[in-house]
Amino acid sequence: MVGFGYDIHRLEQGRKLILGGIEIESEFGCVAHSDGDVLIHSIIDSLLGACGMGDIGEHFPDTDNQFRGISSILLLKHVLDLIADKYKLVNIDIMIILEKPKLKLFKEQIRDKLVELLSIPPARVNVKAGTNEKLDSIGRGDACAVYTICQVEEL
Ligand code: MG
């Protein structure tokens, strides 16, 4: 089965930019209820989608104070635990859309982190990054979006 995930967060000066658990050197970071790891949120939605288990908002409501400022990695680990006895992740492909900074130097680091978090071989995790060609909110540097698609198989 395949699952699709998408997330977008507003960027604000002076906040940390965390993508896939890696802190990216940037003047701007994501505004969020959690740590704003838009990439991990997108992965979570793709996994939940593939397993037919709803969406991130149902599992971790942003009205719930226990999730305030929480590391998104903990949320991902919780989802991985939920699906572990029924599904195995086959591969995952991620597309980050961010105007700046350019992520060329960070993609490998992000992939390595995801290999560790998802416990799958490096060849089964792909991280892509691009800009929005200066168009719209992402192009103006006001937001960062991430698309994810993954495949899981039933155990
Ligand atoms: Mg989010």
Side-chain angles (χ1 to χ4, degrees), residues 4-58:
F4 172 71
Y6 167 77
D7 196 20
I8 185 166
H9 278 240
R10 220 154 32 82
L11 294 171
E12 214 172 70
Q13 198 159 21
R15 287 183 183 261
K16 278 186 182 175
L17 180 61
I18 299 170
L19 292 173
I22 302 294
E23 191 173 335
I24 310 288
E25 257 186 68
S26 171
E27 254 185 83
F28 295 83
C30 288
V31 178
H33 185 69
S34 66
D35 65 353
D37 195 328
V38 58
L39 192 153
I40 297 287
H41 297 175
S42 173
I43 290 178
I44 288 174
D45 258 353
S46 75
L47 289 169
L48 291 171
C51 302
M53 291 172 63
D55 66 36
I56 189 169
E58 291 168 24

Side-chain angles (χ1 to χ4, degrees), residues 53-89:
M53 291 172 63
D55 66 36
I56 189 169
E58 291 168 24
H59 290 266
F60 311 108
D62 62 9
T63 48
D64 192 331
N65 271 332
Q66 66 169 312
F67 303 124
R68 186 170 293 279
I70 197 170
S71 162
S72 297
I73 286 175
L74 293 179
L75 306 182
L76 175 63
K77 285 184 172 163
H78 178 76
V79 169
L80 290 170
D81 282 348
L82 278 181
I83 66 176
D85 58 335
K86 278 195 184 160
Y87 301 99
K88 181 184 167 211
L89 179 60

